[in-house]
Structure formats: structure tokens, C-alpha cells
Amino acid sequence: MTEALLIRGRLFDPGQGLDRVGDLLIEGGKIAWLGEPGLAPKPDVPVLEAQRLIVCPGFIDLHCHLREPGQEDKETIASGTQAAARGGFTTVCAMPNTQPPLDSGAAVDYVLKRATQEGAVRVLPIGCITRGRKGEELAELGELAQAGAVAFSDDGNSVADPRLLRNALEYSRSFGLPVIEHCEDASLSKDGVMNEGWTSARLGLRGIPPAAEETVVARDIALAELTGARLHLAHLTTAGSVELVRRAKEKGLPITAEVTPHHLTLTEERVMGAEWGWLGRVPPRHQPLNSCAYDTSAKVNPPLRTPADVLALNRGLQDGTIDAIATDHAPHRLVDKLCEFDLAAFGISGLETALAALLALVHIGELKLETLIEALTYGPARILGRDTQTGLREGAPADITIFDPEAQWVVDPQAFASKGKNTPLAGYTLRGKVMATIVDGRLVYKDDSL
Amino acid sequence: MRIREQSQLYPPITKPTASPWQHRHILDLDDFSRQEMEFLFHTADAMKEILGREIKRVPTLRGKTVVTMFYEPSTRTRLSFEMAAKSLGADVTSITAATSSAVKGESLVDTVRTIQALGSDVLVMRHPCSGAPYLVAQQVASSVVNAGDGWHAHPTQALLDLYTIRSHHGGVEGAKAVIIGDILHSRVARSNIWGLTIMGAQVVLCGPPTLLPRFWGQAYPQAIIEPDIEAALADADIIMVLRLQRERQQGGLLPSIEEYVRLYQLDERRLALAKPDALVMHPGPVNEGIEIAPEVAHGAQSVIEEQVANGVAVRMALLYLLAGGAH
């Protein structure tokens, strides 16, 4: 499908303030025309009926783990990008904590090549900040940039040595690419498995205090100010972090930040079982634990935090302190999660539930649809310097997501395209479903009901 | 075929019994009612009588299998469970981390599925990871008894503590129970907070702030946090002293053991602040001269040895109730 006509969809593009029913014509991988229903210049092409569906720019995920090369039993570029397509993502940025890590031009090349061969959606690799992600010496950032890396990150770890991070920020300026920091003080978070708070006290689990994130956010902001480099903060989780970024932005520093769908919708209580933690559902303190407690599907780093943090993250998204929503899709095998909580892997397989989980916030009136779509499209696009290629406009690449905001479905991880079935939303009934995903004019995913 | 369908539609009406016992697993005390605990203690009284006989054995659980699975070193708890099971005539099999396939890298889930396949009625487990018994309870058909999981819970210890208090004071309703020491890392403290509170006591927690962090107040609103040991001990009816592990000093949580002794050791001077008949308890093993002065540990108010003796009776009662004795 390089030519198609989407008819009677609700064309929705927050970047242009567009929200009206219309038709959209795709030709040669680009958006050729959009306008009033029935007026398309070339109606003699395959038609996709989009009535009652939202047609918006394709989602961009700044942060996902495709696991290839090295951990193909958890995910591959093929399975991960299919999951992305099902989730409405037309572009995904692949984090470099693979085996080997993406710290060389050859490794970046490999990912790009595999993505061309097998990728359902566009894959943009992120290169390491330090060689081997060891935090000891700079990776060859120039070589990485030349090979096609779109950012640098040691995601999974902070760059612990402030001097090394300072140098990375200075050096990265010559390529104009952002440095993405995973903010976590490894000493404060040592051996922690969930948020430090009442739930960890109750469950007898070692906690990760909010300060483990905030001390590094504060340090990184100071280094960004010192160097003038572009710093992007990955997966913020605490009210304190949001406040630090807000103040940094007020000073005019070139800092951006992201938040994940799970940190916007779930709280630490989710570890106690599936009935708690979703959209602020907190058990009374005298509630006995049931045998579903210690739910490893809710074990994620950074951890799920408190209702006050979730609220602050939401406010941060609404006032522009947080620029983008990124999934931090982290697929794992069953055995990585079917074990003691302390031993379970951190991470949530998030690509295929992101939109529906976030729409829950829209349905309960906690988030505007335009804020949500903005944070999934233009927000990440600006961070990547791709905002001119984003949007429903004539001549732009036909990267389009079509979803039904009302359709209800039950999350069944076994139906995921991702190899990672690890989701805390299994069995949840969600409202909002991706119906089709179009990348460069190609229909890469279509729901059976369409 | 039709008959079977009908019997599913109309399950046989069971006679109401006097037993308030609801548990299939013993994971913690948070899901116990006061009636259940009273019922358990009545049963333990009967077990204590058996243990006082010349032949300390009854065939009540003959043909039943109790598996003890200890992934952490333990002497008293494991022995206590094994003696309890044998006194009731059950077959007992023991697995330790060293003898299990865990050393070969077998997962806990695989191990317990194997145990289940070989047949076990009650699985008694201790594990260094908090929550491990919850994972196991989801995987097996047998009853699971938590004999200590990480920092989280040690329900049978708390039950035998309550049973010991009951035999001295008749109960804990309205009593002030002080728990002193390394609260943060203590599964005994956590289970006792539930047990004591459900039975009507007022729990007071006392320890250095690194071992009793602020957020505990949100986790256990039913307990009072009192950092000052003198205030905590004033008019106490029950004093539970927790073991202080030397790792806490090595981990940077305490400046020195000596300072801990100065600030938090239960000595005779501090004990005098409590009620004259206050009970001194300790889950063991005791570090004499660290968390508790030797003369207090062996003093007239100490019931530490009794706790150990009562452990067998309480665990017999639990095994009896879990392995079908109640039905």
C-alpha cells in the first residue's frame, strides 16, 4: 500500500491545532492531500474506512529496548518493531544496552541493517555515552553519530563520574545530539527493588528512595548549565525531579524530559497485587496481603512511585515541564519474572499497552487528548530534531496512527507481538485501541476488526 | 452425568462448625482474626498437654507429609517444626539450600513443583527473599507455612510470642508492647505488629532512625514510633528485644556496636521503667551484652526460654489445623 485514501477519520494533529473529520490521501509514501470528506483529488485508490477513528501523526518512542543484538530470547528487532506497530508507534529509538552494547559504528550499523531487513517500523539507534557502558571512558561519539545514532545514553546506568559526564556533554555539542541520562545514584539505590515507602516497609523489600533519582537530576542540570549541551532526562518518576526540571527550564536551560505510561498510571501499591496501584487505587493500611502480592510484573526501574508523584508527573506533562512520553519498553522472558521478587528482572513490556493505558487518563479527565498526542508525537520529534517531518500535512512522510478511543479490550499478554509478556496490565480492561499503523505509506499493522 | 451436574448446582450443605479456622496457608498474621488466633491457642493448649506426657506422640497426622525447606540457616525454627510434625506422627522431609537443586541453579518454582509432584501436605519454608512463600503458595496445592521470609514476616514466631504472653498475662488487650532494635530488617517485628494489634495491644516501636525510618509511620499507622527508649519503656507490659546483626554496623547504619549498647541495650536500669511484671522477650538467637544485658536475658522477667518451648506446641497446633485435623 503506497497509495491509499483514509476516509471520514477524525484528523487530529495538536501541532497544527487540527481536529476535524476529513479524508487523507497517501501517495508514494507521503501525505499527498488532506481535506473535506469526498473531495480527494484521486479517489480511485484503496480506501480505508476510518469513521469514528482518530487519525493522527505516528507515535515516536524515544526509549525502548529491542534487545538485539545479544538477547534475542527476550526480543528481536523484528518482534519489537511489530509490537511497536501494534502500539501505534511508527518510530522507535533503540537503547544501546544490548550485548555487545551499541558503542561502535559497526554496532549501530548492525541495528540499522537489521531494522531495514526485518523492522516493521522505523528504528533509530541510540549510541552509548561510554565505552561498553562502563562509565570509564567516552565512546567514540563522532563515529556513532556518523553511523546514524540519534542520541547518546548509557541507559540502565547513570554516568556516575560527574567529570566524565561533563566531558560527554561538552563533546556531544559538536554533533547537536542529545545526551540521555538515566538518573539513578547507584549507591542510594543499591539492592533496592521498589520505591522506598510504606509499601516497601510493609512488604519487607529494600527500597529505592526518590532522592536516588533527584540527586542525579540536580547534578545533571548543573552540568548542562555548565556546558550548554542538550540534556534529555529519561523516565522521570518523582515530584522532586519534576520540580527540578521545571526550575531549570524557567532558567532557559536546553533540558528536556520524558515520562513513561506506567509512571503516569500506576503507583507502588501495584506490587501488592493487580487490584491496587492502577489510577490511584490504594489499599487501606490494614488490608491483608493476598497471595498475588510481590507481583514481579510491577518491578521496574525506576520504580513505580506514590500517588503524589503520579500527580506531579501529570502536572509536569500538562505544563510542558515534561516534553515526551516514552515507553521504556523492557521485554523479558517468563523465567526472568517467575521468581522471587528480589531476583526478578526490572522492566515492563510497554509498547502494546501504552496508548490504551494513557487514554485511561483522558477518559477520567486527568489529561487532555491533545496533550497526550502531542507528548507521543511532536514532543519526542522535537527532541530528535525531526519535528519538521512530523504531522498531518501535505508532503510529510505518511507516518500515521489510527486508533479507536472508545474500543474496549482485555490485555492478554499472550496475544502480544512482543516476546516480552511482562506487563502489570494483564487482565485489565482498557478503553482505546490502535486500529492501524502506517509507516512511510506502508500499512504495517491493521486490527482485525478494521 | 445429570446427577453430577445437579450436585454442582446444589453443593451439599455443610453443618456449621464451631471452628473459625479459615487458613490454607500461613503466610503472615495480617489476615488472621482474633477468633482464629484464640482458636489456635486453645489447640496449642491441647498440644502442650501432649508434650507433657511420657510418650510425646500422637498419630493424628499419620500418613501426612510435612516438607521443611530452609534456604537460610536456622536451628531452632527448623527443629521446632520437625519436632512438632513428628509429635503428630507426620512424615518429615527436610531440604536445605545446600542439599536442594538450588545450588545447581534450579529455580524456586521448579523446586517446589517437584516437591508437590512427589507429594507433600504442608510445605514449611524459610527463604532469604521477602515474599518467596507468596510465590510458592501460588504454585502448589499443599499448604504453605512461612517460617521466615527475608525482612517480611515470621508468623509462627509471632504466634508463639502471643501464646507465651497469653500464658502469663491471659492476653494482650490494652497492653503496651514495646519492640526495640533493628525494626527495619526484622520479620519478627513486622509479624508481631500485626499479631499484637489484632489481639488488642498498643505497639510501640523503638530503634535508631537508620533502623526505623520515617516512612514506617505510614506503613503501620496502628503502631507508635517512639525514638526515645526511656519514653518507649515507660509502663510497658511487654518488651520484645530484637537481635542486632553486626552487618548493620558494617553497612554504615550504626557508628558502632558500643554506641548501640549505650543507647538501646535493654539493661536493668531501663527495664525498671517498665511495669514490674513486664515480660522480656527475644526471638533468639540472643547476642548477650549487645541488645540485651545478660542479667536481663536471664532475669526473673525473661520468658525467652519459654518462647522456645512454646514454639513446638504452637507449631503442632498449626500443622494439625492445616493438615486436615480440623475437618
Side-chain angles (χ1 to χ4, degrees), chain B residues 272-321:
Chain B
L273 299 168
K275 286 196 183 147
D277 64 342
L279 301 178
V280 173
M281 312 184 81
H282 191 298
V286 178
N287 287 314
E288 280 183 25
I290 297 182
E291 66 267 8
I292 189 166
E295 54 277 17
V296 175
H298 300 286
Q301 287 167 258
S302 168
V303 292
I304 297 172
E305 275 176 36
E306 230 175 287
Q307 287 174 272
V308 179
N310 284 335
V312 180
V314 168
R315 288 174 176 123
M316 281 172 78
L318 269 180
L319 293 175
Y320 169 76
L321 292 173

Short mmCIF file of all heavy atoms in Angstrom, two decimals, chain B residues 272-321:
data_model
loop_
_atom_site.label_atom_id
_atom_site.label_comp_id
_atom_site.label_asym_id
_atom_site.label_seq_id
_atom_site.Cartn_x
_atom_site.Cartn_y
_atom_site.Cartn_z
N ALA B 272 13.63 -1.27 84.58
CA ALA B 272 12.91 -0.78 85.76
C ALA B 272 11.85 0.27 85.40
O ALA B 272 10.95 0.54 86.18
CB ALA B 272 13.91 -0.20 86.77
N LEU B 273 11.97 0.85 84.19
CA LEU B 273 10.98 1.84 83.76
C LEU B 273 9.66 1.18 83.40
O LEU B 273 8.60 1.81 83.44
CB LEU B 273 11.50 2.62 82.55
CG LEU B 273 12.79 3.43 82.77
CD1 LEU B 273 13.35 3.90 81.44
CD2 LEU B 273 12.53 4.61 83.69
N ALA B 274 9.73 -0.09 83.02
CA ALA B 274 8.52 -0.80 82.61
C ALA B 274 7.75 -1.24 83.85
O ALA B 274 8.20 -1.07 84.99
CB ALA B 274 8.90 -2.01 81.76
N LYS B 275 6.55 -1.79 83.62
CA LYS B 275 5.78 -2.29 84.75
C LYS B 275 6.56 -3.42 85.44
O LYS B 275 7.31 -4.15 84.78
CB LYS B 275 4.43 -2.82 84.25
CG LYS B 275 3.48 -1.67 83.88
CD LYS B 275 2.06 -2.15 83.76
CE LYS B 275 1.16 -1.01 83.31
NZ LYS B 275 0.06 -1.47 82.46
N PRO B 276 6.34 -3.61 86.73
CA PRO B 276 7.13 -4.61 87.46
C PRO B 276 6.94 -6.03 86.91
O PRO B 276 7.85 -6.86 87.00
CB PRO B 276 6.61 -4.51 88.89
CG PRO B 276 5.81 -3.26 88.98
CD PRO B 276 5.44 -2.83 87.61
N ASP B 277 5.76 -6.30 86.36
CA ASP B 277 5.54 -7.65 85.83
C ASP B 277 5.70 -7.72 84.32
O ASP B 277 5.21 -8.63 83.66
CB ASP B 277 4.15 -8.14 86.24
CG ASP B 277 3.03 -7.30 85.62
OD1 ASP B 277 3.32 -6.16 85.16
OD2 ASP B 277 1.88 -7.78 85.56
N ALA B 278 6.38 -6.73 83.75
CA ALA B 278 6.56 -6.74 82.30
C ALA B 278 7.35 -7.98 81.87
O ALA B 278 8.28 -8.40 82.57
CB ALA B 278 7.30 -5.47 81.86
N LEU B 279 6.98 -8.52 80.71
CA LEU B 279 7.68 -9.71 80.19
C LEU B 279 8.80 -9.27 79.27
O LEU B 279 8.61 -8.37 78.45
CB LEU B 279 6.71 -10.59 79.41
CG LEU B 279 5.49 -11.13 80.15
CD1 LEU B 279 4.63 -11.95 79.19
CD2 LEU B 279 5.93 -12.00 81.34
N VAL B 280 9.94 -9.93 79.39
CA VAL B 280 11.06 -9.66 78.49
C VAL B 280 11.15 -10.81 77.49
O VAL B 280 11.27 -11.98 77.90
CB VAL B 280 12.38 -9.51 79.27
CG1 VAL B 280 13.56 -9.41 78.31
CG2 VAL B 280 12.32 -8.30 80.20
N MET B 281 11.08 -10.47 76.21
CA MET B 281 11.06 -11.49 75.17
C MET B 281 12.15 -11.22 74.14
O MET B 281 12.59 -10.08 73.96
CB MET B 281 9.70 -11.52 74.47
CG MET B 281 8.53 -11.52 75.45
SD MET B 281 6.93 -11.65 74.63
CE MET B 281 6.88 -13.40 74.34
N HIS B 282 12.54 -12.27 73.44
CA HIS B 282 13.57 -12.16 72.40
C HIS B 282 13.38 -13.36 71.47
O HIS B 282 13.23 -14.47 71.95
CB HIS B 282 14.96 -12.18 73.05
CG HIS B 282 16.07 -11.81 72.11
ND1 HIS B 282 16.37 -12.54 70.98
CD2 HIS B 282 16.96 -10.78 72.13
CE1 HIS B 282 17.40 -11.98 70.36
NE2 HIS B 282 17.78 -10.91 71.03
N PRO B 283 13.37 -13.11 70.15
CA PRO B 283 13.13 -14.25 69.24
C PRO B 283 14.33 -15.18 69.12
O PRO B 283 14.21 -16.27 68.54
CB PRO B 283 12.82 -13.56 67.91
CG PRO B 283 13.54 -12.24 68.00
CD PRO B 283 13.50 -11.84 69.45
N GLY B 284 15.49 -14.76 69.61
CA GLY B 284 16.68 -15.58 69.52
C GLY B 284 17.23 -15.59 68.11
O GLY B 284 16.52 -15.25 67.17
N PRO B 285 18.48 -15.97 67.93
CA PRO B 285 19.46 -16.18 68.99
C PRO B 285 19.89 -14.84 69.62
O PRO B 285 19.98 -13.84 68.93
CB PRO B 285 20.63 -16.84 68.27
CG PRO B 285 20.37 -16.76 66.81
CD PRO B 285 19.00 -16.25 66.59
N VAL B 286 20.13 -14.90 70.91
CA VAL B 286 20.41 -13.68 71.68
C VAL B 286 21.89 -13.31 71.57
O VAL B 286 22.75 -14.18 71.66
CB VAL B 286 20.04 -13.90 73.17
CG1 VAL B 286 20.35 -12.67 74.00
CG2 VAL B 286 18.58 -14.29 73.31
N ASN B 287 22.15 -12.03 71.33
CA ASN B 287 23.52 -11.51 71.48
C ASN B 287 23.61 -10.90 72.87
O ASN B 287 23.35 -9.71 73.06
CB ASN B 287 23.77 -10.36 70.49
CG ASN B 287 23.92 -10.80 69.07
OD1 ASN B 287 24.63 -11.75 68.79
ND2 ASN B 287 23.25 -10.10 68.18
N GLU B 288 23.95 -11.70 73.84
CA GLU B 288 24.00 -11.17 75.20
C GLU B 288 25.06 -10.09 75.30
O GLU B 288 26.16 -10.22 74.78
CB GLU B 288 24.32 -12.30 76.19
CG GLU B 288 23.10 -13.12 76.50
CD GLU B 288 23.39 -14.19 77.53
OE1 GLU B 288 24.35 -14.02 78.32
OE2 GLU B 288 22.67 -15.20 77.51
N GLY B 289 24.70 -9.02 75.98
CA GLY B 289 25.64 -7.92 76.12
C GLY B 289 25.56 -6.93 74.98
O GLY B 289 26.21 -5.89 75.02
N ILE B 290 24.77 -7.22 73.94
CA ILE B 290 24.59 -6.24 72.87
C ILE B 290 23.19 -5.66 72.99
O ILE B 290 22.99 -4.63 73.63
CB ILE B 290 24.90 -6.83 71.48
CG1 ILE B 290 26.38 -7.24 71.43
CG2 ILE B 290 24.61 -5.79 70.40
CD1 ILE B 290 26.85 -7.79 70.12
N GLU B 291 22.19 -6.34 72.44
CA GLU B 291 20.86 -5.75 72.52
C GLU B 291 20.21 -5.95 73.90
O GLU B 291 19.26 -5.26 74.24
CB GLU B 291 19.94 -6.30 71.42
CG GLU B 291 19.60 -7.77 71.51
CD GLU B 291 20.54 -8.67 70.71
OE1 GLU B 291 21.55 -8.15 70.20
OE2 GLU B 291 20.25 -9.87 70.60
N ILE B 292 20.74 -6.89 74.64
CA ILE B 292 20.15 -7.16 75.96
C ILE B 292 21.27 -7.51 76.94
O ILE B 292 22.22 -8.23 76.58
CB ILE B 292 19.09 -8.29 75.85
CG1 ILE B 292 18.30 -8.46 77.15
CG2 ILE B 292 19.73 -9.61 75.44
CD1 ILE B 292 17.04 -9.30 76.98
N ALA B 293 21.15 -6.98 78.15
CA ALA B 293 22.16 -7.29 79.17
C ALA B 293 21.94 -8.72 79.66
O ALA B 293 20.80 -9.17 79.77
CB ALA B 293 22.04 -6.31 80.32
N PRO B 294 23.03 -9.46 79.95
CA PRO B 294 22.88 -10.87 80.36
C PRO B 294 21.95 -11.02 81.57
O PRO B 294 21.13 -11.94 81.59
CB PRO B 294 24.31 -11.29 80.71
CG PRO B 294 25.20 -10.30 80.07
CD PRO B 294 24.44 -9.03 79.89
N GLU B 295 22.06 -10.10 82.54
CA GLU B 295 21.24 -10.26 83.74
C GLU B 295 19.75 -10.06 83.44
O GLU B 295 18.90 -10.61 84.14
CB GLU B 295 21.72 -9.34 84.87
CG GLU B 295 21.84 -7.87 84.56
CD GLU B 295 23.16 -7.48 83.86
OE1 GLU B 295 23.88 -8.35 83.33
OE2 GLU B 295 23.45 -6.27 83.83
N VAL B 296 19.43 -9.33 82.36
CA VAL B 296 18.02 -9.18 81.96
C VAL B 296 17.57 -10.42 81.16
O VAL B 296 16.49 -10.95 81.38
CB VAL B 296 17.81 -7.89 81.13
CG1 VAL B 296 16.39 -7.81 80.61
CG2 VAL B 296 18.13 -6.67 81.99
N ALA B 297 18.45 -10.87 80.27
CA ALA B 297 18.10 -12.04 79.46
C ALA B 297 17.83 -13.26 80.35
O ALA B 297 17.00 -14.11 80.03
CB ALA B 297 19.23 -12.35 78.48
N HIS B 298 18.54 -13.34 81.47
CA HIS B 298 18.35 -14.48 82.37
C HIS B 298 17.59 -14.09 83.63
O HIS B 298 17.52 -14.87 84.57
CB HIS B 298 19.72 -15.06 82.76
CG HIS B 298 20.50 -15.54 81.57
ND1 HIS B 298 20.18 -16.69 80.89
CD2 HIS B 298 21.56 -14.99 80.92
CE1 HIS B 298 21.03 -16.83 79.86
NE2 HIS B 298 21.87 -15.83 79.87
N GLY B 299 17.04 -12.89 83.66
CA GLY B 299 16.38 -12.39 84.86
C GLY B 299 14.99 -12.98 85.06
O GLY B 299 14.49 -13.76 84.24
N ALA B 300 14.37 -12.56 86.15
CA ALA B 300 13.08 -13.12 86.55
C ALA B 300 11.98 -12.80 85.54
O ALA B 300 11.01 -13.55 85.40
CB ALA B 300 12.70 -12.57 87.92
N GLN B 301 12.12 -11.69 84.84
CA GLN B 301 11.05 -11.29 83.92
C GLN B 301 11.22 -11.88 82.53
O GLN B 301 10.37 -11.71 81.66
CB GLN B 301 10.99 -9.75 83.82
CG GLN B 301 10.41 -9.11 85.08
CD GLN B 301 10.64 -7.63 85.13
OE1 GLN B 301 11.52 -7.14 85.82
NE2 GLN B 301 9.86 -6.89 84.35
N SER B 302 12.35 -12.55 82.30
CA SER B 302 12.62 -13.09 80.96
C SER B 302 11.82 -14.36 80.71
O SER B 302 11.76 -15.26 81.56
CB SER B 302 14.11 -13.40 80.84
OG SER B 302 14.34 -14.17 79.68
N VAL B 303 11.18 -14.43 79.55
CA VAL B 303 10.46 -15.64 79.16
C VAL B 303 11.06 -16.23 77.89
O VAL B 303 10.40 -16.93 77.14
CB VAL B 303 8.95 -15.35 78.97
CG1 VAL B 303 8.31 -15.01 80.31
CG2 VAL B 303 8.71 -14.23 77.97
N ILE B 304 12.33 -15.92 77.66
CA ILE B 304 12.95 -16.28 76.38
C ILE B 304 12.98 -17.80 76.18
O ILE B 304 12.67 -18.30 75.09
CB ILE B 304 14.38 -15.67 76.30
CG1 ILE B 304 14.28 -14.13 76.33
CG2 ILE B 304 15.10 -16.12 75.04
CD1 ILE B 304 15.60 -13.40 76.43
N GLU B 305 13.31 -18.53 77.24
CA GLU B 305 13.36 -20.00 77.08
C GLU B 305 11.97 -20.59 76.89
O GLU B 305 11.78 -21.55 76.15
CB GLU B 305 14.06 -20.63 78.28
CG GLU B 305 15.57 -20.64 78.09
CD GLU B 305 16.30 -21.18 79.31
OE1 GLU B 305 15.77 -22.11 79.94
OE2 GLU B 305 17.38 -20.67 79.62
N GLU B 306 11.02 -19.98 77.58
CA GLU B 306 9.63 -20.43 77.43
C GLU B 306 9.14 -20.27 76.00
O GLU B 306 8.37 -21.09 75.49
CB GLU B 306 8.77 -19.56 78.33
CG GLU B 306 7.83 -20.29 79.23
CD GLU B 306 7.15 -19.27 80.13
OE1 GLU B 306 7.82 -18.75 81.06
OE2 GLU B 306 5.99 -18.97 79.84
N GLN B 307 9.58 -19.17 75.38
CA GLN B 307 9.19 -18.94 73.99
C GLN B 307 9.58 -20.13 73.14
O GLN B 307 8.81 -20.61 72.31
CB GLN B 307 9.89 -17.68 73.43
CG GLN B 307 9.35 -16.37 73.98
CD GLN B 307 10.19 -15.19 73.49
OE1 GLN B 307 11.19 -14.82 74.11
NE2 GLN B 307 9.81 -14.60 72.37
N VAL B 308 10.81 -20.62 73.37
CA VAL B 308 11.29 -21.74 72.57
C VAL B 308 10.43 -22.98 72.82
O VAL B 308 10.00 -23.66 71.88
CB VAL B 308 12.77 -22.04 72.90
CG1 VAL B 308 13.27 -23.23 72.10
CG2 VAL B 308 13.63 -20.81 72.66
N ALA B 309 10.14 -23.23 74.11
CA ALA B 309 9.35 -24.42 74.45
C ALA B 309 7.94 -24.31 73.85
O ALA B 309 7.41 -25.29 73.33
CB ALA B 309 9.28 -24.56 75.97
N ASN B 310 7.35 -23.14 73.92
CA ASN B 310 6.00 -22.97 73.38
C ASN B 310 5.96 -23.09 71.86
O ASN B 310 4.91 -23.37 71.29
CB ASN B 310 5.44 -21.60 73.78
CG ASN B 310 5.00 -21.58 75.24
OD1 ASN B 310 4.69 -22.63 75.79
ND2 ASN B 310 5.01 -20.41 75.84
N GLY B 311 7.11 -22.85 71.24
CA GLY B 311 7.17 -22.93 69.78
C GLY B 311 6.68 -24.26 69.25
O GLY B 311 5.96 -24.31 68.25
N VAL B 312 7.06 -25.34 69.91
CA VAL B 312 6.67 -26.67 69.42
C VAL B 312 5.15 -26.84 69.52
O VAL B 312 4.50 -27.28 68.56
CB VAL B 312 7.41 -27.78 70.19
CG1 VAL B 312 6.99 -29.15 69.67
CG2 VAL B 312 8.92 -27.61 70.06
N ALA B 313 4.58 -26.44 70.63
CA ALA B 313 3.13 -26.62 70.81
C ALA B 313 2.34 -25.79 69.79
O ALA B 313 1.38 -26.28 69.19
CB ALA B 313 2.74 -26.21 72.23
N VAL B 314 2.77 -24.55 69.59
CA VAL B 314 2.05 -23.69 68.64
C VAL B 314 2.18 -24.25 67.23
O VAL B 314 1.21 -24.28 66.46
CB VAL B 314 2.59 -22.25 68.73
CG1 VAL B 314 2.08 -21.41 67.57
CG2 VAL B 314 2.19 -21.61 70.05
N ARG B 315 3.35 -24.74 66.88
CA ARG B 315 3.54 -25.27 65.52
C ARG B 315 2.80 -26.58 65.34
O ARG B 315 2.30 -26.88 64.24
CB ARG B 315 5.03 -25.40 65.23
CG ARG B 315 5.65 -24.00 65.05
CD ARG B 315 7.14 -23.97 64.89
NE ARG B 315 7.57 -22.60 64.63
CZ ARG B 315 8.46 -21.93 65.36
NH1 ARG B 315 9.04 -22.51 66.40
NH2 ARG B 315 8.76 -20.69 65.06
N MET B 316 2.72 -27.38 66.41
CA MET B 316 1.88 -28.60 66.33
C MET B 316 0.43 -28.20 66.04
O MET B 316 -0.23 -28.80 65.19
CB MET B 316 1.92 -29.37 67.66
CG MET B 316 3.17 -30.20 67.84
SD MET B 316 3.26 -30.89 69.52
CE MET B 316 2.08 -32.25 69.40
N ALA B 317 -0.04 -27.19 66.75
CA ALA B 317 -1.43 -26.76 66.54
C ALA B 317 -1.65 -26.31 65.10
O ALA B 317 -2.64 -26.66 64.46
CB ALA B 317 -1.75 -25.63 67.51
N LEU B 318 -0.67 -25.57 64.58
CA LEU B 318 -0.79 -25.08 63.20
C LEU B 318 -0.82 -26.23 62.20
O LEU B 318 -1.67 -26.28 61.31
CB LEU B 318 0.41 -24.20 62.87
CG LEU B 318 0.28 -22.71 63.14
CD1 LEU B 318 1.57 -22.02 62.73
CD2 LEU B 318 -0.89 -22.14 62.36
N LEU B 319 0.11 -27.15 62.37
CA LEU B 319 0.19 -28.28 61.43
C LEU B 319 -1.09 -29.10 61.51
O LEU B 319 -1.63 -29.55 60.49
CB LEU B 319 1.41 -29.15 61.74
CG LEU B 319 2.77 -28.50 61.49
CD1 LEU B 319 3.90 -29.42 61.96
CD2 LEU B 319 2.95 -28.16 60.01
N TYR B 320 -1.57 -29.27 62.73
CA TYR B 320 -2.80 -30.03 62.94
C TYR B 320 -3.97 -29.37 62.21
O TYR B 320 -4.74 -30.02 61.49
CB TYR B 320 -3.06 -30.12 64.44
CG TYR B 320 -4.42 -30.65 64.80
CD1 TYR B 320 -4.71 -32.02 64.71
CD2 TYR B 320 -5.42 -29.79 65.26
CE1 TYR B 320 -5.97 -32.50 65.05
CE2 TYR B 320 -6.67 -30.25 65.60
CZ TYR B 320 -6.94 -31.62 65.49
OH TYR B 320 -8.18 -32.08 65.83
N LEU B 321 -4.08 -28.09 62.36
CA LEU B 321 -5.20 -27.38 61.74
C LEU B 321 -5.07 -27.34 60.21
O LEU B 321 -6.05 -27.41 59.49
CB LEU B 321 -5.30 -25.95 62.29
CG LEU B 321 -5.71 -25.85 63.76
CD1 LEU B 321 -5.61 -24.41 64.26
CD2 LEU B 321 -7.12 -26.39 63.97
#
